[in-house]
Amino acid sequence: GPLKPEITITYIAVSAIFFNSGLSLKTEELTSALMHVKLHLFVQIFTLVFFPTAIWLFLQLLSITPINEWLLKGLQTVGCMPPPVSSAVILTKAVGGNEAAAIFNSAFGSFLGIVITPLLLLLFLGSSSSVPFTSIFSQLFMTVVVPLIIGQIVRRYIKDWLERKKPPFGAISSCVLLMIIYTTFCDTFANPNIDLDKFSLIIIVFIIFSVQLSFMFLTFLFSTRNNSGFTAADTVAIIFCSTHKSLTLGIPMLKIVFAGYEHLSLISVPLLIYHPAQILLGSLLVPTIKSWMVSRQK
């Protein structure tokens, strides 16, 4: 069509999102949190090792049910995603938790995700990918890593102007992401063979909320043990950073890894549900977690 998504989305839009991230990321804020290695290890191992493995084991049970197989594969892709750059930080700040640790883990997790997420996708869904391994990484490098680095370099020279003007980075990324999601769903309805039944969709929504609540409770239990060494503020950052998944990174990555794949849109659906679900659940739990943290600190 006239939007030419094979060029504007695949290359320009994805690059724009990560250039914008590089430009807006305040690297100086991360240095204070850098030394809390135990917390960082916990979050990254939970997010990028335990989460995808647990989902894979759970999907072995669900594979015998009549749930749409491509939505189940989509659940696996959710498990492989890195933490988001914004929502976990916003909710940690709202509760009054360790914001610096949340910022560091969100940013560090995103950088790790650039390399680890495609590897996890190929490990768990390798047979589904129609793109050669080298092609995935060369495209990821050019559309994700390079724009991020350029954004950080440019930020060094216009830092004062950025601090003064405060450009709407979030709104820009959201608009570009909306364009990516729009073209993804255009691909869905352009495919006459697409078959999405309501039963599968309702079950997937239920599973997503259940997984989020279960994993939040699990991270809470692990991080509040007597010998854990984490403060109440650390626990708040752990709960949100370990269980949240990035839509901003996720959709562009799926577009690259599963480029030209006829079931890409169905695979994307669980991630498109997971993102608003994590914000909704997190927002509802903010008062409860905040009152727990205040009583714990007292």
Side-chain angles (χ1 to χ4, degrees):
L3 288 177
K4 300 288 181 193
E6 65 277 7
I7 297 168
T8 56
I9 298 299
T10 308
Y11 297 101
I12 299 170
V14 176
S15 299
I17 280 182
F18 290 101
F19 173 75
N20 191 44
S21 296
L23 206 58
S24 62
L25 197 63
K26 295 180 180 179
T27 40
E28 62 272 14
E29 287 184 3
L30 309 181
T31 51
S32 61
L34 192 61
M35 302 312 292
H36 206 335
V37 178
K38 188 178 179 181
L39 189 150
H40 309 326
L41 277 174
F42 182 95
V43 171
Q44 300 308 327
I45 290 171
F46 191 96
T47 309
L48 297 169
V49 179
F50 176 81
F51 202 127
T53 307
I55 292 291
W56 182 82
L57 291 170
F58 183 47
L59 290 182
Q60 302 312 299
L61 296 173
L62 291 179
S63 62
I64 60 173
T65 65
I67 300 171
N68 188 296
E69 65 168 312
W70 302 108
L71 289 179
L72 292 180
K73 287 180 187 291
L75 270 179
Q76 185 64 68
T77 66
V78 170
C80 297
M81 292 302 152
V85 176
S86 56
S87 63
V89 176
I90 292 164
L91 289 167
T92 301
K93 187 176 183 178
V95 173
N98 190 338
E99 190 187 349
I103 291 169
F104 178 85
N105 279 287
S106 294
F108 184 57
S110 297
F111 282 108
L112 276 181
I114 292 167
V115 177
I116 294 175
T117 295
L119 286 172
L120 290 172
L121 288 171
L122 289 168
L123 176 66
F124 291 110
L125 302 163
S127 58
S128 302
S129 180
S130 57
V131 183
F133 191 78
T134 51
S135 178
I136 293 167
F137 278 96
S138 60
Q139 192 172 346
L140 276 173
F141 184 78
M142 292 309 296
T143 58
V144 177
V145 181
V146 172
L148 263 173
I149 293 169
I150 293 171
Q152 282 284 283
I153 293 168
V154 171
R155 181 180 171 80
R156 289 183 64 185
Y157 293 99
I158 60 168
K159 184 181 167 185
D160 293 337
W161 181 85
L162 290 171
E163 294 293 327
R164 194 168 61 253
K165 294 290 183 181
K166 299 190 186 304
F169 291 117
I172 294 166
S173 283
S174 296
C175 289
V176 179
L177 187 61
L178 190 64
M179 190 178 169
I180 293 172
I181 293 166
Y182 169 71
T183 57
T184 302
F185 276 92
C186 283
D187 290 342
T188 306
F189 297 110
N191 183 359
N193 301 319
I194 212 78
D195 181 30
L196 179 58
D197 59 292
K198 290 179 182 176
F199 168 77
S200 293
L201 195 58
I202 291 165
I203 295 297
I204 290 294
V205 171
F206 175 75
I207 289 169
I208 283 170
F209 275 95
S210 301
V211 164
Q212 282 194 45
L213 279 171
S214 302
F215 283 2
M216 287 176 90
F217 183 64
L218 202 59
T219 52
F220 176 79
L221 285 180
F222 275 119
S223 60
T224 53
R225 289 179 306 164
N226 291 331
N227 58 346
S228 68
F230 297 126
T231 64
D234 291 341
T235 296
V236 173
I238 287 168
I239 288 170
F240 291 124
C241 290
S242 300
T243 58
H244 280 210
K245 293 293 183 176
S246 177
L247 181 71
T248 312
L249 265 168
I251 292 294
M253 277 193 181
L254 290 181
K255 294 282 283 185
I256 293 168
V257 176
F258 297 101
Y261 199 68
E262 63 174 321
H263 296 289
L264 169 63
S265 302
L266 281 179
I267 290 171
S268 306
V269 166
L271 184 59
L272 293 169
I273 297 168
Y274 196 96
H275 183 74
Q278 70 191 12
I279 295 169
L280 177 65
L281 261 182
S283 302
L284 289 172
L285 290 171
V286 160
T288 308
I289 298 172
K290 192 169 188 174
S291 62
W292 168 82
M293 192 186 78
V294 171
S295 65
R296 180 75 179 261
Q297 286 173 334
K298 283 179 182 177

